[in-house]
Amino acid sequence: MARDGASSITAMRENPRPETKRMMEAVVERENMRAALKRVEANKGAAGVDGMSAEGLRPWLHEHWPQVKEELLEGRYKPRPVRKVEIPKPGGGMRQLGIPTVFDRLIQQAVLQVMHPVFDPEFSESSYGFRPEHSAHQAVLAAQAHVASGLRWVVDLDIEKFFDRVNHDMLMARVARKVEDKRILRLIRGYLQAGVMDNGLVSERTEGTPQGGPLSPLLSNILLDDLDKELERRGHAFCRYADDCNIYVGTQRAGERVMESVARFLEKKLKLRVNREKSAVDRPWKRKFLGYSMTAHKSPRLRVAPQSIKRFKDKLREQFRRGRGRNLAKFIEELKPILRGWFNYYRLARTKSVFDKLDGWIRRKLRCILWRQWKRSYPRAKNLMKRGLPESRAWKSATNGRGPWWNSGAPHMNQAYPKKFFDELGLVSLLDSLLRIQCPS
């Protein structure tokens, strides 16, 4: 759950387990709806097919809530289609999201808050995704502990197009194990089958659960809880975050057996397929899990996976292209939240050289912006002299005929614009941030 959902998390935590035959009454209860409304308004988010924004929801409810509440209690409410949105996947390709209307997001959030106390307490402790008081960091630390215990092979499972391939009947059968209120069951199936609007046309959906609504993460955990329970029954050490599952074993041969048997279980019991191209039995330090990898030491240290570093640099390159011609101090202010966000996620890594190299690369990109902005030899020499370089050296550097990237890494630019200069402008140093955590004053 997102950090800004404190009220809804509190509601889920304090909600007593509802009487499952009359769950809809708990959904539309005043305090539950109020907590759901606060969460939806805080999240804001894009509008759905009706164009209504989060800001417009409260006034709309003042006029329409009595009627819609009656439809929900009588089991007559029909969800609107979701709006198709595609976003780039970190590893390439596009991920399809389905954005519900803001009112449907409200109802899904209210249902989530009531269903959570029913399902979450019985989920596996090795399931970390989309759960209050569980996190990606906990999953990564658990993975590290499994490897440190001697399980130095990993079965890295990639479930093929999980959110697109969820079998509705399989999922609903598992929801119905604990939810007896047929109105809730009809409503959830309605959300699963709500059409997808793309360029004004609505297409039906017969499988999959669209990413984009508050209820989808819980539904995915409900379905994959069967996998968790099977792995626990077999005595496996594993970590699962959403559809990303790693199983830790002692030998390669054991890993290959586990890969085949788990793939059969997923296909037979849950109608899901393992992507053989992306899945593998390998050493943990050769794979990544939630953006992290680890060293091959007996007591492994966490490190940032090479693919994660590449994605981060690609993201920053886009920012640096926009920074050309901009005031450097203002541009650094815009970089701050990106750098802080990345560091906060990867702060568990203990390979300082990666953070040091990234810091140096970022400062060099900023020096490159300055060199480009100066354009000609005279302003380049003038600015270098302002920063303390002797006149002869400044002119020699300004007229060397080399390109911006070469000059941004050359001694004259490093001397004129050292780390201290960028520190004074407020640039976030990833290495300094890591050292502050490791050696707090």
Side-chain angles (χ1 to χ4, degrees):
M1 303 293 294
R3 284 174 293 180
D4 60 1
S7 61
S8 60
I9 290 175
T10 301
M12 289 189 289
R13 199 181 285 140
E14 295 178 353
N15 239 358
R17 182 174 174 131
E19 209 286 304
T20 58
K21 289 183 179 179
R22 298 186 62 78
M23 190 177 278
M24 186 63 82
E25 279 72 13
V27 169
V28 300
E29 186 268 330
R30 183 179 181 85
E31 289 306 313
N32 186 59
M33 290 301 301
R34 182 177 291 174
L37 179 59
K38 286 181 180 179
R39 175 65 186 273
V40 171
E41 288 179 329
N43 280 353
K44 297 181 180 178
V49 296
D50 61 356
M52 187 195 299
S53 66
E55 291 78 12
L57 179 58
R58 195 176 288 257
W60 187 91
L61 288 171
H62 281 304
E63 183 177 350
H64 298 281
W65 174 241
Q67 176 189 340
V68 182
K69 179 181 178 181
E70 183 178 324
E71 290 177 8
L72 287 164
L73 288 171
E74 293 178 1
R76 294 186 290 109
Y77 179 76
K78 294 189 182 302
R80 300 285 300 275
V82 297
R83 183 169 64 86
K84 180 180 176 181
V85 175
E86 290 186 333
I87 61 171
K89 286 184 178 181
M94 301 299 289
R95 173 176 286 121
Q96 181 177 311
L97 302 182
I99 307 300
T101 64
V102 67
F103 177 72
D104 278 323
R105 294 206 294 272
L106 172 69
I107 298 304
Q108 286 193 36
Q109 179 65 35
V111 172
L112 169 66
Q113 291 167 185
V114 171
M115 284 179 58
H116 173 268
V118 176
F119 287 94
D120 191 82
E122 295 180 27
F123 285 156
S124 168
E125 282 304 307
S126 297
S127 168
Y128 296 92
F130 310 126
R131 301 179 63 193
E133 299 179 359
H134 292 72
S135 69
H137 281 176
Q138 291 174 337
V140 169
L141 290 170
Q144 180 188 28
H146 290 321
V147 177
S149 74
L151 301 175
R152 295 174 70 79
W153 287 87
V154 63
V155 181
D156 187 353
L157 284 175
D158 183 277
I159 301 175
E160 189 174 290
K161 297 181 178 178
F162 171 73
F163 286 96
D164 297 332
R165 296 273 173 83
V166 168
N167 182 285
H168 290 173
D169 291 336
M170 286 281 181
L171 174 56
M172 291 308 303
R174 281 147 184 81
V175 175
R177 289 172 182 171
K178 296 181 181 178
V179 175
E180 299 175 83
D181 192 327
K182 288 184 168 43
R183 297 166 298 177
I184 293 288
L185 297 176
R186 279 196 298 270
L187 180 63
I188 293 173
R189 188 175 281 275
Y191 280 122
L192 292 174
Q193 296 179 340
V196 179
M197 181 174 285
D198 185 23
N199 293 324
L201 298 176
V202 177
S203 57
E204 294 183 356
R205 187 171 57 237
T206 58
E207 63 178 2
T209 172
Q211 298 179 72
L215 199 51
S216 293
L218 176 63
L219 295 178
S220 70
N221 274 335
I222 290 172
L223 182 64
L224 289 175
D225 187 56
D226 276 27
L227 171 63
D228 299 340
K229 295 298 191 289
E230 177 66 14
L231 294 176
E232 288 177 339
R233 187 186 68 78
R234 298 182 187 185
H236 287 312
F238 70 98
C239 301
R240 183 177 66 78
Y241 192 98
D243 58 334
D244 198 346
C245 183
N246 277 6
I247 307 166
Y248 296 89
V249 295
T251 66
Q252 182 178 10
R253 194 170 179 181
E256 289 166 353
R257 287 198 303 268
V258 170
M259 174 71 81
E260 292 305 317
S261 62
V262 171
R264 285 196 301 272
F265 173 84
L266 286 168
E267 189 161 346
K268 183 177 179 181
K269 298 292 186 181
L270 300 180
K271 305 297 184 188
L272 296 169
R273 288 203 297 267
V274 170
N275 186 326
R276 297 288 181 164
E277 292 182 4
K278 295 183 178 180
S279 301
V281 176
D282 208 340
R283 296 293 196 178
W285 46 90
K286 295 182 180 179
R287 306 293 293 179
K288 69 178 177 69
F289 180 53
L290 302 179
Y292 280 86
S293 186
M294 59 185 77
T295 65
H297 298 98
K298 188 173 181 180
S299 296
R301 289 179 294 158
L302 293 174
R303 63 186 180 94
V304 185
Q307 303 95 314
S308 302
I309 296 170
K310 181 182 181 302
R311 284 201 300 269
F312 182 50
K313 292 175 80 170
D314 287 344
K315 180 178 181 179
L316 287 177
R317 281 189 184 97
E318 292 180 18
Q319 298 297 319
F320 288 127
R321 279 193 288 270
R322 295 173 192 157
R324 295 178 185 177
R326 302 277 305 283
N327 175 276
L328 194 67
K330 290 182 179 178
F331 178 61
I332 285 174
E333 283 298 313
E334 292 178 14
L335 282 182
K336 277 184 182 179
I338 298 173
L339 298 176
R340 286 201 183 107
W342 190 87
F343 172 77
N344 285 336
Y345 185 76
Y346 288 105
R347 68 180 184 270
L348 299 180
R350 289 298 176 263
T351 46
K352 298 176 186 177
S353 61
V354 169
F355 292 82
D356 191 27
K357 288 177 182 176
L358 279 171
D359 275 345
W361 181 80
I362 290 166
R363 289 193 295 268
R364 184 171 179 179
K365 294 292 282 188
L366 292 170
R367 294 187 191 106
C368 190
I369 288 176
L370 288 173
W371 193 263
R372 287 179 184 277
Q373 287 177 350
W374 298 337
K375 293 182 180 178
R376 300 183 184 280
S377 299
Y378 177 74
R380 286 170 176 169
K382 181 181 176 183
N383 280 291
L384 289 173
M385 285 187 280
K386 278 184 180 178
R387 294 293 304 168
L389 266 66
E391 182 177 357
S392 60
R393 188 180 175 202
W395 275 105
K396 184 178 179 181
S397 301
T399 57
N400 61 33
R402 300 276 193 162
W405 182 245
W406 186 91
N407 276 284
S408 65
H412 54 268
M413 282 296 281
N414 277 279
Q415 182 179 334
Y417 294 90
K419 178 179 180 295
K420 183 180 178 182
F421 170 81
F422 296 103
D423 288 344
E424 290 171 352
L425 285 180
L427 179 67
V428 174
S429 167
L430 302 173
L431 179 60
D432 289 352
S433 300
L434 183 66
L435 294 175
R436 278 195 292 272
I437 285 179
Q438 294 180 349
C439 306
S441 55

